[in-house]
PDB file of all heavy atoms in Angstrom:
ATOM      1  N   LEU G   1       0.811  -1.196  -0.004  1.00 98.00           N
ATOM      2  CA  LEU G   1      -0.003  -0.013   0.001  1.00 98.00           C
ATOM      3  C   LEU G   1       0.851   1.244   0.016  1.00 98.00           C
ATOM      4  O   LEU G   1       0.506   2.270  -0.635  1.00 98.00           O
ATOM      5  CB  LEU G   1      -0.928  -0.015   1.216  1.00 98.00           C
ATOM      6  CG  LEU G   1      -1.819   1.244   1.438  1.00 98.00           C
ATOM      7  CD1 LEU G   1      -2.690   1.527   0.226  1.00 98.00           C
ATOM      8  CD2 LEU G   1      -2.660   1.065   2.688  1.00 98.00           C
ATOM      9  N   ASN G   2       1.985   1.233   0.678  1.00 97.00           N
ATOM     10  CA  ASN G   2       2.845   2.416   0.782  1.00 97.00           C
ATOM     11  C   ASN G   2       3.450   2.786  -0.578  1.00 97.00           C
ATOM     12  O   ASN G   2       3.784   3.933  -0.806  1.00 97.00           O
ATOM     13  CB  ASN G   2       3.970   2.177   1.796  1.00 97.00           C
ATOM     14  CG  ASN G   2       3.474   2.128   3.200  1.00 97.00           C
ATOM     15  OD1 ASN G   2       2.269   2.197   3.465  1.00 97.00           O
ATOM     16  ND2 ASN G   2       4.381   1.978   4.138  1.00 97.00           N
ATOM     17  N   ALA G   3       3.597   1.801  -1.468  1.00 97.00           N
ATOM     18  CA  ALA G   3       4.307   2.030  -2.717  1.00 97.00           C
ATOM     19  C   ALA G   3       3.390   2.092  -3.927  1.00 97.00           C
ATOM     20  O   ALA G   3       3.862   2.216  -5.063  1.00 97.00           O
ATOM     21  CB  ALA G   3       5.323   0.894  -2.929  1.00 97.00           C
ATOM     22  N   ASN G   4       2.064   2.068  -3.693  1.00 98.00           N
ATOM     23  CA  ASN G   4       1.096   2.047  -4.797  1.00 98.00           C
ATOM     24  C   ASN G   4      -0.058   3.013  -4.547  1.00 98.00           C
ATOM     25  O   ASN G   4      -0.379   3.279  -3.379  1.00 98.00           O
ATOM     26  CB  ASN G   4       0.570   0.630  -5.006  1.00 98.00           C
ATOM     27  CG  ASN G   4       1.619  -0.307  -5.574  1.00 98.00           C
ATOM     28  OD1 ASN G   4       1.852  -0.370  -6.772  1.00 98.00           O
ATOM     29  ND2 ASN G   4       2.284  -1.061  -4.692  1.00 98.00           N
ATOM     30  N   PRO G   5      -0.700   3.465  -5.612  1.00 97.00           N
ATOM     31  CA  PRO G   5      -1.879   4.311  -5.412  1.00 97.00           C
ATOM     32  C   PRO G   5      -2.991   3.556  -4.646  1.00 97.00           C
ATOM     33  O   PRO G   5      -3.149   2.348  -4.840  1.00 97.00           O
ATOM     34  CB  PRO G   5      -2.324   4.617  -6.841  1.00 97.00           C
ATOM     35  CG  PRO G   5      -1.120   4.416  -7.695  1.00 97.00           C
ATOM     36  CD  PRO G   5      -0.354   3.316  -7.044  1.00 97.00           C
ATOM     37  N   LEU G   6      -3.728   4.284  -3.861  1.00 98.00           N
ATOM     38  CA  LEU G   6      -4.758   3.658  -3.043  1.00 98.00           C
ATOM     39  C   LEU G   6      -5.790   2.928  -3.924  1.00 98.00           C
ATOM     40  O   LEU G   6      -6.220   1.841  -3.555  1.00 98.00           O
ATOM     41  CB  LEU G   6      -5.470   4.736  -2.213  1.00 98.00           C
ATOM     42  CG  LEU G   6      -6.613   4.256  -1.331  1.00 98.00           C
ATOM     43  CD1 LEU G   6      -6.143   3.200  -0.330  1.00 98.00           C
ATOM     44  CD2 LEU G   6      -7.255   5.414  -0.589  1.00 98.00           C
ATOM     45  N   ALA G   7      -6.179   3.505  -5.034  1.00 98.00           N
ATOM     46  CA  ALA G   7      -7.179   2.855  -5.894  1.00 98.00           C
ATOM     47  C   ALA G   7      -6.700   1.518  -6.408  1.00 98.00           C
ATOM     48  O   ALA G   7      -7.478   0.561  -6.464  1.00 98.00           O
ATOM     49  CB  ALA G   7      -7.546   3.771  -7.056  1.00 98.00           C
ATOM     50  N   ASP G   8      -5.420   1.421  -6.737  1.00 98.00           N
ATOM     51  CA  ASP G   8      -4.881   0.137  -7.210  1.00 98.00           C
ATOM     52  C   ASP G   8      -4.887  -0.873  -6.094  1.00 98.00           C
ATOM     53  O   ASP G   8      -5.171  -2.080  -6.319  1.00 98.00           O
ATOM     54  CB  ASP G   8      -3.452   0.333  -7.753  1.00 98.00           C
ATOM     55  CG  ASP G   8      -3.391   1.159  -9.011  1.00 98.00           C
ATOM     56  OD1 ASP G   8      -4.473   1.417  -9.611  1.00 98.00           O
ATOM     57  OD2 ASP G   8      -2.308   1.541  -9.424  1.00 98.00           O
ATOM     58  N   TRP G   9      -4.518  -0.448  -4.878  1.00 98.00           N
ATOM     59  CA  TRP G   9      -4.482  -1.379  -3.745  1.00 98.00           C
ATOM     60  C   TRP G   9      -5.879  -1.850  -3.401  1.00 98.00           C
ATOM     61  O   TRP G   9      -6.080  -3.039  -3.124  1.00 98.00           O
ATOM     62  CB  TRP G   9      -3.833  -0.652  -2.551  1.00 98.00           C
ATOM     63  CG  TRP G   9      -3.636  -1.527  -1.366  1.00 98.00           C
ATOM     64  CD1 TRP G   9      -2.583  -2.400  -1.146  1.00 98.00           C
ATOM     65  CD2 TRP G   9      -4.500  -1.662  -0.236  1.00 98.00           C
ATOM     66  NE1 TRP G   9      -2.760  -3.044   0.068  1.00 98.00           N
ATOM     67  CE2 TRP G   9      -3.925  -2.614   0.630  1.00 98.00           C
ATOM     68  CE3 TRP G   9      -5.712  -1.076   0.106  1.00 98.00           C
ATOM     69  CZ2 TRP G   9      -4.482  -2.977   1.856  1.00 98.00           C
ATOM     70  CZ3 TRP G   9      -6.306  -1.441   1.322  1.00 98.00           C
ATOM     71  CH2 TRP G   9      -5.708  -2.383   2.181  1.00 98.00           C
ATOM     72  N   GLU G  10      -6.855  -0.955  -3.410  1.00 98.00           N
ATOM     73  CA  GLU G  10      -8.245  -1.360  -3.149  1.00 98.00           C
ATOM     74  C   GLU G  10      -8.710  -2.410  -4.143  1.00 98.00           C
ATOM     75  O   GLU G  10      -9.381  -3.363  -3.793  1.00 98.00           O
ATOM     76  CB  GLU G  10      -9.135  -0.108  -3.160  1.00 98.00           C
ATOM     77  CG  GLU G  10      -8.908   0.811  -1.992  1.00 98.00           C
ATOM     78  CD  GLU G  10      -9.763   2.061  -2.081  1.00 98.00           C
ATOM     79  OE1 GLU G  10     -10.398   2.302  -3.158  1.00 98.00           O
ATOM     80  OE2 GLU G  10      -9.818   2.838  -1.097  1.00 98.00           O
ATOM     81  N   GLN G  11      -8.351  -2.201  -5.428  1.00 98.00           N
ATOM     82  CA  GLN G  11      -8.731  -3.183  -6.448  1.00 98.00           C
ATOM     83  C   GLN G  11      -8.063  -4.525  -6.177  1.00 98.00           C
ATOM     84  O   GLN G  11      -8.655  -5.591  -6.413  1.00 98.00           O
ATOM     85  CB  GLN G  11      -8.303  -2.665  -7.818  1.00 98.00           C
ATOM     86  CG  GLN G  11      -8.782  -3.541  -8.965  1.00 98.00           C
ATOM     87  CD  GLN G  11      -8.436  -2.956 -10.326  1.00 98.00           C
ATOM     88  OE1 GLN G  11      -7.438  -2.283 -10.476  1.00 98.00           O
ATOM     89  NE2 GLN G  11      -9.288  -3.231 -11.301  1.00 98.00           N
ATOM     90  N   ASP G  12      -6.811  -4.499  -5.638  1.00 98.00           N
ATOM     91  CA  ASP G  12      -6.102  -5.751  -5.339  1.00 98.00           C
ATOM     92  C   ASP G  12      -6.772  -6.481  -4.187  1.00 98.00           C
ATOM     93  O   ASP G  12      -6.769  -7.716  -4.134  1.00 98.00           O
ATOM     94  CB  ASP G  12      -4.638  -5.420  -5.004  1.00 98.00           C
ATOM     95  CG  ASP G  12      -3.691  -6.500  -5.495  1.00 98.00           C
ATOM     96  OD1 ASP G  12      -3.748  -6.873  -6.687  1.00 98.00           O
ATOM     97  OD2 ASP G  12      -2.883  -6.970  -4.676  1.00 98.00           O
ATOM     98  N   VAL G  13      -7.295  -5.730  -3.236  1.00 98.00           N
ATOM     99  CA  VAL G  13      -8.031  -6.332  -2.117  1.00 98.00           C
ATOM    100  C   VAL G  13      -9.325  -7.007  -2.625  1.00 98.00           C
ATOM    101  O   VAL G  13      -9.590  -8.184  -2.326  1.00 98.00           O
ATOM    102  CB  VAL G  13      -8.382  -5.264  -1.036  1.00 98.00           C
ATOM    103  CG1 VAL G  13      -9.348  -5.838  -0.005  1.00 98.00           C
ATOM    104  CG2 VAL G  13      -7.109  -4.758  -0.349  1.00 98.00           C
ATOM    105  N   THR G  14     -10.090  -6.280  -3.413  1.00 98.00           N
ATOM    106  CA  THR G  14     -11.394  -6.813  -3.884  1.00 98.00           C
ATOM    107  C   THR G  14     -11.192  -7.968  -4.853  1.00 98.00           C
ATOM    108  O   THR G  14     -12.040  -8.866  -4.922  1.00 98.00           O
ATOM    109  CB  THR G  14     -12.249  -5.704  -4.502  1.00 98.00           C
ATOM    110  OG1 THR G  14     -11.531  -5.088  -5.587  1.00 98.00           O
ATOM    111  CG2 THR G  14     -12.566  -4.633  -3.463  1.00 98.00           C
ATOM    112  N   ARG G  15     -10.107  -7.944  -5.604  1.00 98.00           N
ATOM    113  CA  ARG G  15      -9.888  -9.040  -6.578  1.00 98.00           C
ATOM    114  C   ARG G  15      -9.713 -10.379  -5.882  1.00 98.00           C
ATOM    115  O   ARG G  15      -9.979 -11.425  -6.463  1.00 98.00           O
ATOM    116  CB  ARG G  15      -8.635  -8.715  -7.420  1.00 98.00           C
ATOM    117  CG  ARG G  15      -8.427  -9.695  -8.564  1.00 98.00           C
ATOM    118  CD  ARG G  15      -7.280  -9.252  -9.444  1.00 98.00           C
ATOM    119  NE  ARG G  15      -7.081 -10.187 -10.538  1.00 98.00           N
ATOM    120  CZ  ARG G  15      -6.127 -10.118 -11.454  1.00 98.00           C
ATOM    121  NH1 ARG G  15      -5.267  -9.099 -11.384  1.00 98.00           N
ATOM    122  NH2 ARG G  15      -6.023 -11.015 -12.418  1.00 98.00           N
ATOM    123  N   ASN G  16      -9.269 -10.353  -4.627  1.00 98.00           N
ATOM    124  CA  ASN G  16      -9.068 -11.579  -3.886  1.00 98.00           C
ATOM    125  C   ASN G  16     -10.375 -12.154  -3.300  1.00 98.00           C
ATOM    126  O   ASN G  16     -10.436 -13.324  -2.916  1.00 98.00           O
ATOM    127  CB  ASN G  16      -8.101 -11.294  -2.715  1.00 98.00           C
ATOM    128  CG  ASN G  16      -7.011 -12.340  -2.563  1.00 98.00           C
ATOM    129  OD1 ASN G  16      -6.657 -13.035  -3.493  1.00 98.00           O
ATOM    130  ND2 ASN G  16      -6.458 -12.424  -1.376  1.00 98.00           N
ATOM    131  N   GLU G  17     -11.399 -11.324  -3.206  1.00 98.00           N
ATOM    132  CA  GLU G  17     -12.599 -11.700  -2.478  1.00 98.00           C
ATOM    133  C   GLU G  17     -13.386 -12.860  -3.098  1.00 98.00           C
ATOM    134  O   GLU G  17     -13.891 -13.733  -2.324  1.00 98.00           O
ATOM    135  CB  GLU G  17     -13.468 -10.470  -2.298  1.00 98.00           C
ATOM    136  CG  GLU G  17     -12.860  -9.459  -1.357  1.00 98.00           C
ATOM    137  CD  GLU G  17     -13.691  -8.212  -1.133  1.00 98.00           C
ATOM    138  OE1 GLU G  17     -14.655  -8.014  -1.919  1.00 98.00           O
ATOM    139  OE2 GLU G  17     -13.387  -7.434  -0.208  1.00 98.00           O
ATOM    140  N   PRO G  18     -13.552 -12.949  -4.421  1.00 98.00           N
ATOM    141  CA  PRO G  18     -14.284 -14.113  -4.935  1.00 98.00           C
ATOM    142  C   PRO G  18     -13.663 -15.451  -4.527  1.00 98.00           C
ATOM    143  O   PRO G  18     -14.379 -16.429  -4.259  1.00 98.00           O
ATOM    144  CB  PRO G  18     -14.248 -13.889  -6.469  1.00 98.00           C
ATOM    145  CG  PRO G  18     -14.106 -12.429  -6.610  1.00 98.00           C
ATOM    146  CD  PRO G  18     -13.233 -11.985  -5.494  1.00 98.00           C
ATOM    147  N   MET G  19     -12.341 -15.513  -4.510  1.00 98.00           N
ATOM    148  CA  MET G  19     -11.676 -16.747  -4.112  1.00 98.00           C
ATOM    149  C   MET G  19     -11.954 -17.050  -2.624  1.00 98.00           C
ATOM    150  O   MET G  19     -12.182 -18.213  -2.239  1.00 98.00           O
ATOM    151  CB  MET G  19     -10.173 -16.636  -4.354  1.00 98.00           C
ATOM    152  CG  MET G  19      -9.371 -17.892  -4.074  1.00 98.00           C
ATOM    153  SD  MET G  19      -7.667 -17.745  -4.622  1.00 98.00           S
ATOM    154  CE  MET G  19      -7.908 -17.685  -6.399  1.00 98.00           C
ATOM    155  N   LEU G  20     -11.933 -16.019  -1.801  1.00 98.00           N
ATOM    156  CA  LEU G  20     -12.223 -16.236  -0.397  1.00 98.00           C
ATOM    157  C   LEU G  20     -13.657 -16.697  -0.160  1.00 98.00           C
ATOM    158  O   LEU G  20     -13.922 -17.567   0.656  1.00 98.00           O
ATOM    159  CB  LEU G  20     -11.940 -14.954   0.409  1.00 98.00           C
ATOM    160  CG  LEU G  20     -10.452 -14.543   0.465  1.00 98.00           C
ATOM    161  CD1 LEU G  20     -10.305 -13.145   1.011  1.00 98.00           C
ATOM    162  CD2 LEU G  20      -9.661 -15.544   1.335  1.00 98.00           C
ATOM    163  N   ARG G  21     -14.584 -16.113  -0.893  1.00 98.00           N
ATOM    164  CA  ARG G  21     -15.981 -16.551  -0.807  1.00 98.00           C
ATOM    165  C   ARG G  21     -16.130 -17.994  -1.230  1.00 98.00           C
ATOM    166  O   ARG G  21     -16.849 -18.775  -0.618  1.00 98.00           O
ATOM    167  CB  ARG G  21     -16.894 -15.665  -1.688  1.00 98.00           C
ATOM    168  CG  ARG G  21     -17.048 -14.245  -1.221  1.00 98.00           C
ATOM    169  CD  ARG G  21     -18.157 -13.535  -1.975  1.00 98.00           C
ATOM    170  NE  ARG G  21     -18.161 -12.103  -1.695  1.00 98.00           N
ATOM    171  CZ  ARG G  21     -17.601 -11.204  -2.461  1.00 98.00           C
ATOM    172  NH1 ARG G  21     -16.966 -11.584  -3.596  1.00 98.00           N
ATOM    173  NH2 ARG G  21     -17.637  -9.929  -2.155  1.00 98.00           N
ATOM    174  N   LYS G  22     -15.399 -18.358  -2.286  1.00 98.00           N
ATOM    175  CA  LYS G  22     -15.492 -19.746  -2.786  1.00 98.00           C
ATOM    176  C   LYS G  22     -15.082 -20.742  -1.724  1.00 98.00           C
ATOM    177  O   LYS G  22     -15.753 -21.762  -1.500  1.00 98.00           O
ATOM    178  CB  LYS G  22     -14.610 -19.885  -4.016  1.00 98.00           C
ATOM    179  CG  LYS G  22     -14.445 -21.324  -4.519  1.00 98.00           C
ATOM    180  CD  LYS G  22     -13.463 -21.390  -5.659  1.00 98.00           C
ATOM    181  CE  LYS G  22     -13.197 -22.836  -6.081  1.00 98.00           C
ATOM    182  NZ  LYS G  22     -12.206 -22.934  -7.189  1.00 98.00           N
ATOM    183  N   TYR G  23     -13.955 -20.497  -1.059  1.00 98.00           N
ATOM    184  CA  TYR G  23     -13.408 -21.489  -0.119  1.00 98.00           C
ATOM    185  C   TYR G  23     -14.053 -21.363   1.282  1.00 98.00           C
ATOM    186  O   TYR G  23     -14.099 -22.351   1.996  1.00 98.00           O
ATOM    187  CB  TYR G  23     -11.902 -21.366  -0.054  1.00 98.00           C
ATOM    188  CG  TYR G  23     -11.235 -21.918  -1.261  1.00 98.00           C
ATOM    189  CD1 TYR G  23     -10.741 -21.090  -2.260  1.00 98.00           C
ATOM    190  CD2 TYR G  23     -11.076 -23.304  -1.431  1.00 98.00           C
ATOM    191  CE1 TYR G  23     -10.120 -21.595  -3.399  1.00 98.00           C
ATOM    192  CE2 TYR G  23     -10.453 -23.814  -2.582  1.00 98.00           C
ATOM    193  CZ  TYR G  23      -9.989 -22.955  -3.554  1.00 98.00           C
ATOM    194  OH  TYR G  23      -9.390 -23.454  -4.684  1.00 98.00           O
ATOM    195  N   MET G  24     -14.448 -20.157   1.642  1.00 98.00           N
ATOM    196  CA  MET G  24     -14.939 -19.950   3.011  1.00 98.00           C
ATOM    197  C   MET G  24     -16.446 -20.091   3.147  1.00 98.00           C
ATOM    198  O   MET G  24     -16.957 -20.310   4.241  1.00 98.00           O
ATOM    199  CB  MET G  24     -14.486 -18.584   3.523  1.00 98.00           C
ATOM    200  CG  MET G  24     -12.998 -18.499   3.847  1.00 98.00           C
ATOM    201  SD  MET G  24     -12.556 -19.491   5.314  1.00 98.00           S
ATOM    202  CE  MET G  24     -13.186 -18.427   6.614  1.00 98.00           C
ATOM    203  N   GLY G  25     -17.155 -19.931   2.043  1.00 96.00           N
ATOM    204  CA  GLY G  25     -18.609 -20.061   2.114  1.00 96.00           C
ATOM    205  C   GLY G  25     -19.179 -19.046   3.075  1.00 96.00           C
ATOM    206  O   GLY G  25     -18.918 -17.810   2.972  1.00 96.00           O
ATOM    207  N   ALA G  26     -19.972 -19.494   4.055  1.00 95.00           N
ATOM    208  CA  ALA G  26     -20.634 -18.611   5.015  1.00 95.00           C
ATOM    209  C   ALA G  26     -19.712 -18.213   6.168  1.00 95.00           C
ATOM    210  O   ALA G  26     -20.078 -17.379   7.006  1.00 95.00           O
ATOM    211  CB  ALA G  26     -21.902 -19.273   5.554  1.00 95.00           C
ATOM    212  N   ALA G  27     -18.517 -18.846   6.261  1.00 96.00           N
ATOM    213  CA  ALA G  27     -17.602 -18.536   7.347  1.00 96.00           C
ATOM    214  C   ALA G  27     -16.961 -17.148   7.147  1.00 96.00           C
ATOM    215  O   ALA G  27     -16.914 -16.643   6.030  1.00 96.00           O
ATOM    216  CB  ALA G  27     -16.550 -19.613   7.466  1.00 96.00           C
ATOM    217  N   ASP G  28     -16.446 -16.583   8.202  1.00 95.00           N
ATOM    218  CA  ASP G  28     -15.923 -15.205   8.163  1.00 95.00           C
ATOM    219  C   ASP G  28     -14.523 -15.166   7.588  1.00 95.00           C
ATOM    220  O   ASP G  28     -13.590 -15.709   8.160  1.00 95.00           O
ATOM    221  CB  ASP G  28     -15.924 -14.629   9.593  1.00 95.00           C
ATOM    222  CG  ASP G  28     -15.450 -13.179   9.617  1.00 95.00           C
ATOM    223  OD1 ASP G  28     -15.509 -12.532   8.544  1.00 95.00           O
ATOM    224  OD2 ASP G  28     -15.049 -12.707  10.684  1.00 95.00           O
ATOM    225  N   TRP G  29     -14.410 -14.488   6.437  1.00 98.00           N
ATOM    226  CA  TRP G  29     -13.082 -14.277   5.827  1.00 98.00           C
ATOM    227  C   TRP G  29     -12.684 -12.811   5.849  1.00 98.00           C
ATOM    228  O   TRP G  29     -11.678 -12.419   5.267  1.00 98.00           O
ATOM    229  CB  TRP G  29     -13.088 -14.777   4.366  1.00 98.00           C
ATOM    230  CG  TRP G  29     -14.243 -14.293   3.534  1.00 98.00           C
ATOM    231  CD1 TRP G  29     -15.452 -14.930   3.324  1.00 98.00           C
ATOM    232  CD2 TRP G  29     -14.356 -13.040   2.819  1.00 98.00           C
ATOM    233  NE1 TRP G  29     -16.271 -14.180   2.541  1.00 98.00           N
ATOM    234  CE2 TRP G  29     -15.613 -13.012   2.208  1.00 98.00           C
ATOM    235  CE3 TRP G  29     -13.493 -11.977   2.641  1.00 98.00           C
ATOM    236  CZ2 TRP G  29     -16.053 -11.940   1.394  1.00 98.00           C
ATOM    237  CZ3 TRP G  29     -13.903 -10.899   1.852  1.00 98.00           C
ATOM    238  CH2 TRP G  29     -15.185 -10.901   1.251  1.00 98.00           C
TER     239      TRP G  29
END
């Protein structure tokens, strides 16, 4: 985050979320 624009970092966070939903289901990720 320190070395990249905030918008790019936010996109990198959200890009990971479908994979977390897939493996975690209803559990808290």
Side-chain angles (χ1 to χ4, degrees):
L1 175 57
N2 291 3
N4 290 276
L6 178 60
D8 292 350
W9 185 84
E10 290 176 350
Q11 185 177 31
D12 215 52
V13 170
T14 57
R15 188 175 181 182
N16 226 23
E17 291 179 348
M19 184 172 293
L20 292 168
R21 290 191 191 98
K22 172 185 174 181
Y23 286 101
M24 287 291 285
D28 183 20
W29 48 266

